[in-house]
């Protein structure tokens, strides 16, 4: 499966995590962009909804299992 990679415009890192939604993000969601935050420099930017889904799956996998009973 090919996932579109994106690069942080600030530090060129390629690791992101999901960012919290704000009201103004709605206009980005309307064009299938989801707010993400760079893991390296914490720059907030927008990624594709596909990227957000991948990050969401990773997060769910990471937290799934033992920690929550
Ligand atoms: Zn960065």
């Amino acid at each position: 499966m090919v996932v579109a990679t994106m690069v942080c415009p600030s530090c060129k890192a390629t690791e992101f995590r999901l960012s919290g939604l704000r009201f103004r993000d709605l206009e980005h969601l309307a064009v299938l962009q989801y707010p993400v935050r760079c893991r390296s420099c914490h720059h907030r930017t927008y990624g594709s909804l596909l990227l957000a889904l991948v990050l969401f799956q990773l997060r769910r996998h990471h937290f799934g299992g033992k920690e929550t009973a």
Side-chain angles (χ1 to χ4, degrees):
M1 175 177 168
V2 178
V3 176
T5 55
M6 61 178 283
V7 176
C8 175
S10 179
C11 74
K12 313 301 182 193
T14 56
E15 297 274 303
F16 292 88
R17 64 178 178 81
L18 294 178
S19 183
L21 280 175
R22 296 173 189 174
F23 185 75
R24 59 170 298 184
D25 293 333
L26 288 178
E27 60 190 75
H28 290 274
L29 288 173
V31 292
L32 303 183
Q33 290 184 316
Y34 198 93
V36 294
R37 196 175 287 274
C38 175
R39 284 184 179 274
S40 180
C41 72
H42 304 290
H43 180 84
R44 195 174 195 267
T45 185
Y46 293 88
S48 69
L49 210 55
L50 177 62
L51 174 69
L53 281 173
V54 171
L55 291 175
F56 184 76
Q57 292 292 330
L58 288 175
R59 186 170 69 172
R60 201 171 61 167
H61 178 73
H62 184 71
F63 286 118
K66 300 156 195 160
E67 294 188 35
T68 52

